[in-house]
Amino acid sequence: MEKDLSNYRKTYKKGELLKANVPENPMELFRDWFIEVDTHFNVGETNAMTLSTFGLDGFPKSRVVLLKKYTYEGFIFYTNYESEKGLAIAANPAVCLSFFWPAAERQIIIKGKAEKIPENLSDGYFESRPRGSQLGALVSNQSEVISSREELEERLRALEIKYEGKTIERPKFWGGYMVRPEEMEFWQGRPNRLHDRIRYRLQLDYNWKIERLSP
């Protein structure tokens, strides 16, 4: 099987990113871009981001997860701590997050360290989830091999009966991570592939060094 994609072409001309115009803190630029994309561009899930980890098998692995909160400290998402990604983070907390918003011709690439958030914060978010999502967290032994789809559905039916009329508490193997950024790169598509790339790097004094990168 072969398909030549060399003729795929796109002209980037929806914006610019100038070093003179960016804030000192990258989280402020992230906030501004996120709000702008979420408000003015039809991208579906603006909070969808690619999480890359170093796997226990020595290979890097990327998958899409959903950003659930961002603050000046970092980026929060939720998952099964015993999943493939959870075990990878436990072994090596150095991760990469990336957002790609093609409608706005923008990317953001974030390097940082992931750490578990306090249990009470995970409890609060779990309580806010739809009941079906709460049960789904209990049903799935994430990343483990299963025999069939029917096996999952049978587990779900059993839990629906077990918890009928009862509060579903957050399982200890499920919760949130915060990724604290150490480097953030903002990419804005420009004509002739001369894209704007602005990188922030956290310094020892906790200030951010801002640099323009060659496209």
Side-chain angles (χ1 to χ4, degrees):
M1 180 176 65
E2 179 177 315
K3 182 172 178 59
D4 187 353
L5 304 177
S6 59
N7 288 326
Y8 276 39
R9 293 286 184 269
K10 177 178 173 60
T11 300
Y12 297 91
K13 55 183 179 182
K14 292 187 177 179
E16 63 180 13
L17 181 61
L18 304 179
K19 184 179 176 183
N21 297 337
V22 300
E24 294 183 359
N25 191 307
M27 294 304 298
E28 295 178 6
L29 183 55
F30 177 87
R31 175 202 60 203
D32 294 344
W33 272 26
F34 188 94
I35 292 172
E36 184 176 350
V37 170
D38 198 42
T39 303
H40 299 294
F41 295 91
N42 182 21
V43 299
E45 292 181 303
T46 310
N47 62 329
M49 61 184 184
T50 301
L51 166 68
S52 299
T53 58
F54 292 101
L56 301 183
D57 58 2
F59 286 86
K61 184 170 182 176
S62 301
R63 77 287 283 164
V64 176
V65 299
L66 296 179
L67 176 68
K68 289 301 180 179
K69 187 175 183 179
Y70 60 89
T71 72
Y72 272 107
E73 294 182 86
F75 304 87
I76 293 176
F77 67 96
Y78 294 85
T79 191
N80 186 316
Y81 290 142
E82 297 175 359
S83 66
E84 186 176 11
K85 72 177 85 65
L87 297 177
I89 290 171
N92 186 344
V95 303
C96 182
L97 303 175
S98 64
F99 293 84
F100 179 44
W101 298 313
E105 300 173 354
R106 290 175 177 175
Q107 297 183 68
I108 303 176
I109 302 170
I110 302 149
K111 296 179 183 177
K113 300 289 178 60
E115 61 186 48
K116 290 181 180 178
I117 64 174
E119 290 192 0
N120 65 309
L121 297 182
S122 290
D123 289 338
Y125 175 71
F126 188 82
E127 289 173 8
S128 75
R129 302 183 89 201
R131 191 171 180 84
S133 297
Q134 292 177 338
L135 289 171
L138 292 171
V139 166
S140 175
N141 298 322
Q142 197 174 102
S143 303
E144 292 188 6
V145 175
I146 60 173
S147 60
S148 65
R149 173 77 191 185
E150 288 70 28
E151 180 182 343
L152 278 178
E153 293 175 349
E154 288 173 6
R155 290 182 194 171
L156 178 59
R157 283 192 292 271
L159 287 173
E160 286 174 338
I161 295 170
K162 177 180 178 180
Y163 285 100
E164 185 174 3
K166 300 177 182 177
T167 298
I168 304 170
E169 294 186 358
R170 177 183 66 89
K172 295 300 183 182
F173 59 76
W174 190 97
Y177 288 101
M178 173 178 281
V179 177
R180 297 183 182 274
E182 298 180 9
E183 180 178 305
M184 295 179 63
E185 179 186 330
F186 295 80
W187 181 99
Q188 175 69 62
R190 296 298 301 275
N192 303 312
R193 298 299 191 268
L194 297 179
H195 309 305
D196 288 331
R197 297 174 61 191
I198 299 296
R199 179 178 67 189
Y200 290 78
R201 289 193 293 172
L202 189 62
Q203 306 299 292
L204 293 177
D205 61 1
Y206 296 101
N207 289 313
W208 292 92
K209 183 176 183 180
I210 304 173
E211 300 167 305
R212 171 175 283 275
L213 304 180
S214 172

